[in-house]
Amino acid sequence: QEQVTEYGGASVQAGGSLTLSCECPILSYSMYCVGWFRQAPGKERGGVALIDSDGDKYSADSVVGRFTISPDNAKNMVYLQMSSLKPEDTAMYYCAARRGLCYHHMLRDSSEFTSWGQGTQVTVSS
């Protein structure tokens, strides 16, 4: 089980941008899937974006065109670039990883992810 650590959360104004970072040693393996998930108070955790070692990406409909997930394999980092932020993006954001490819259903079902970070808070004010 590889440890992941996410950071970069902050309070921003609506319409602003923010980049979250995830330290992810699993990128050193030939097959991996890394995802960003979020959980707002009183709501279930949901998938935001996934990326795997094949380069396949999956994003939640609510963030398409606004959020971009990208890896830096040399640094074992995965980034979530967020733009045009909305108050409804306010949540605790988690990075998660697994040794295996990503599949679209993992945006709804994160049970196959074996490593989770502690979370980083993103607050978007109107």
Side-chain angles (χ1 to χ4, degrees), residues 24-39:
C24 215
I26 205 170
L27 265 63
S28 63
Y29 292 100
S30 60
M31 189 177 293
Y32 64 80
C33 171
V34 177
W36 284 97
F37 296 81
R38 66 185 181 186
Q39 186 169 21

Side-chain angles (χ1 to χ4, degrees), residues 6 18-20 33-40 44-51 56-70 78-83 85 88-96 102-110 113 116 120 122:
E6 65 279 83
L18 192 64
T19 296
L20 304 181
C33 171
V34 177
W36 284 97
F37 296 81
R38 66 185 181 186
Q39 186 169 21
E44 292 187 355
R45 185 173 63 194
V48 177
L50 312 174
I51 188 167
D56 291 326
K57 300 181 182 181
Y58 305 93
S59 296
D61 290 344
S62 60
V63 306
V64 170
R66 299 189 301 123
F67 292 11
T68 301
I69 188 170
S70 62
V78 173
Y79 304 101
L80 184 68
Q81 297 171 281
M82 305 184 292
S83 62
L85 283 161
E88 51 263 45
D89 294 317
T90 294
M92 184 70 77
Y93 283 71
Y94 298 90
C95 180
C102 295
Y103 298 94
H104 189 272
H105 75 267
M106 292 177 180
L107 285 171
R108 303 184 309 275
D109 178 4
S110 61
F113 286 86
W116 289 84
T120 187
V122 174

Side-chain angles (χ1 to χ4, degrees), residues 7 16-18 73 91-92:
Y7 51 91
S17 300
L18 192 64
N73 292 80
M92 184 70 77

